[in-house]
Amino acid sequence: MAIDPSKPGDSYLSFWREYHMCTLTTPRPDGTPHVVAVGVTYDPEGGTKGIARVITNKHSRKVANVLAAGPDGARVAVCQVDKGRWATLEGVARIRTEAETVADAVDRYAARYGRTPAPNPDRVVIEIALTRAMGRA
């Protein structure tokens, strides 16, 4: 079911606030999908149609894949599943390194997942400007 990512509805947004591990799919330079488990936060009020954020190490393969896509960003998807409920967010990812942006993403992660990650000087944010949402939550 298609959903407006900037106006997802209460049950969809509630599902994204529950504790669930997610997947992030990024394109490898050869075009094949790279899928990894991540924590994701969803802000439907950020950007034009909402923003999803993934905190990670700047040396990770997922970061390399986004950077390899060039300055226009990489088309990516994040997804979570719980029994018959599921939700996918799609958009354009870019890497953010600004200290305040990373700190904000860490705070959002801590709010969703109930723990603050250990400090990491190599932490960056994969920030996804959302273009599409779908699911059944």
Side-chain angles (χ1 to χ4, degrees), residues 19-108:
Y19 186 113
H20 295 287
M21 290 308 297
C22 304
T23 61
L24 167 68
T25 303
T26 59
R28 292 185 181 104
D30 68 2
T32 60
H34 176 256
V35 184
V36 294
V38 294
V40 175
T41 61
Y42 171 33
D43 174 12
E45 296 175 356
T48 304
K49 287 191 167 190
I51 294 173
R53 294 173 181 87
V54 175
I55 56 174
T56 189
N57 189 295
K58 69 181 179 182
H59 302 291
S60 70
R61 168 52 43 199
K62 54 193 164 285
V63 168
N65 288 343
V66 172
L67 292 172
D72 291 336
R75 301 278 316 161
V76 303
V78 291
C79 183
Q80 66 181 23
V81 177
D82 178 44
K83 299 178 183 164
R85 298 183 305 157
W86 62 277
T88 299
L89 300 169
E90 298 177 18
V92 178
R94 290 182 178 80
I95 304 305
R96 301 288 304 269
T97 60
E98 306 87 352
E100 61 278 357
T101 301
V102 173
D104 177 62
V106 168
D107 289 347
R108 290 171 185 274

Side-chain angles (χ1 to χ4, degrees), residues 4 52 77:
D4 179 345

